[in-house]
Amino acid sequence: MMGLNKYLGLAMVIMSLIVISCADGEDGTDGTNGVNGVNGINGTDGTNGEDGTNGENGQNGEDGQNGANGVGYEELAKYGHINVKMEGNRPDGVAFQDSVIYRYTSVEGSYISQFNSISVSDNITTFKTMRFLSTPDNAFQTSYFGLELEVLDLGAASQQFGFLHIYFLGYTVVGQDHKFFYLDGSDFILIEDGMIQNFAFDDATNHLTYDFSATLPAEQNTSNNMVTFTGTVDVTVLEELNTP
């Protein structure tokens, strides 16, 4: 019995030593950080893609409606217009071109015979047409363009043209260099071939149309140079009744 106890005691001593030896020890010192690795090589940029095709332009929108004419416009403009293109040199020698539509006519009786009439004497018919840039009642708006055309044997196979009286006042030619001059002038021109074209006169409606071309010499206009006028007359002329 005493021998067994002796062995048990020895066994307990050995186990105690084993437990003590298995107990956690103190943490060791942290190791040194490793060296940072080398950065890798950047990759090659990819190729740019091609631009896409431009789209087609859209369709133009429809034009808006014309505004209503002002009060009195129809009364002033109903007898037609003269469309004029002018070409020449300014007083300083610089070439110019300009175009304008003269629309208005006087409706006052005392002036109709001068501005918008047809008259006949023997075999000579004279058409007088004058039109303005704006309403002629205003003293500051007196720019006009006039034509007096003489026709022999109107409507007959022997019809021919006599002379053309061209006269104009107060047109302002403005250049792109912001310089201007007033263009006035007048001349009686014996009509030659090609000066009057597309002539037509309707005796029932007094509707008169023709194309014209005339050159005024330097001494007959304020540019001090030759000026060529081309244009179209599209008017309705009036005939005065003779009073007894």
Side-chain angles (χ1 to χ4, degrees), residues 76 79 104-109 111-112 115-116 130-132 136:
L76 285 169
Y79 295 118
Y104 301 101
T105 188
S106 171
V107 295
E108 185 178 345
Y111 290 105
I112 288 178
F115 293 171
N116 193 57
M130 177 190 288
R131 296 295 183 269
F132 296 82

Side-chain angles (χ1 to χ4, degrees), residues 5-197:
N5 289 333
K6 180 180 180 180
Y7 285 115
L8 288 173
L10 180 59
M12 293 180 64
V13 171
I14 293 171
M15 291 179 65
S16 298
L17 292 174
I18 292 172
V19 171
I20 292 171
S21 64
C22 291
D24 291 337
E26 295 181 0
D27 293 336
T29 305
D30 292 337
T32 304
N33 293 333
V35 179
N36 291 333
V38 179
N39 292 333
I41 300 173
N42 290 333
T44 304
D45 292 338
T47 304
N48 291 332
E50 295 181 358
D51 293 337
T53 304
N54 292 331
E56 296 181 359
N57 294 330
Q59 294 181 349
N60 293 330
E62 296 181 359
D63 294 336
Q65 294 181 351
N66 292 330
N69 293 325
V71 176
Y73 175 85
E74 296 295 341
E75 180 65 23
L76 285 169
K78 67 181 180 179
Y79 295 118
H81 64 276
I82 303 175
N83 193 345
V84 181
K85 179 180 179 181
M86 56 197 77
E87 183 174 1
N89 290 328
R90 306 186 314 192
D92 60 358
V94 176
F96 77 90
Q97 288 185 346
D98 212 338
S99 59
V100 62
I101 300 177
Y102 292 87
R103 296 184 182 276
Y104 301 101
T105 188
S106 171
V107 295
E108 185 178 345
S110 61
Y111 290 105
I112 288 178
S113 61
Q114 302 176 43
F115 293 171
N116 193 57
S117 69
I118 174 176
S119 61
V120 181
S121 177
D122 296 329
N123 67 326
I124 300 175
T125 302
T126 302
F127 296 98
K128 294 182 180 181
T129 55
M130 177 190 288
R131 296 295 183 269
F132 296 82
L133 280 184
S134 56
T135 308
D137 291 337
N138 191 332
F140 296 100
Q141 302 292 344
T142 56
S143 181
Y144 62 74
F145 189 91
L147 293 167
E148 183 176 340
L149 176 64
E150 182 185 81
V151 184
L152 285 66
D153 299 331
L154 177 65
S158 57
Q159 174 180 292
Q160 57 181 313
F161 302 107
F163 69 86
L164 179 69
H165 179 201
I166 180 172
Y167 51 100
F168 48 95
L169 175 70
Y171 186 74
T172 305
V173 178
V174 180
Q176 293 184 351
D177 57 358
H178 309 296
K179 296 180 180 179
F180 74 94
F181 72 99
Y182 300 111
L183 188 59
D184 301 340
S186 176
D187 198 12
F188 284 88
I189 302 171
L190 183 64
I191 298 174
E192 299 177 353
D193 291 343
M195 289 181 58
I196 303 297
Q197 296 183 347

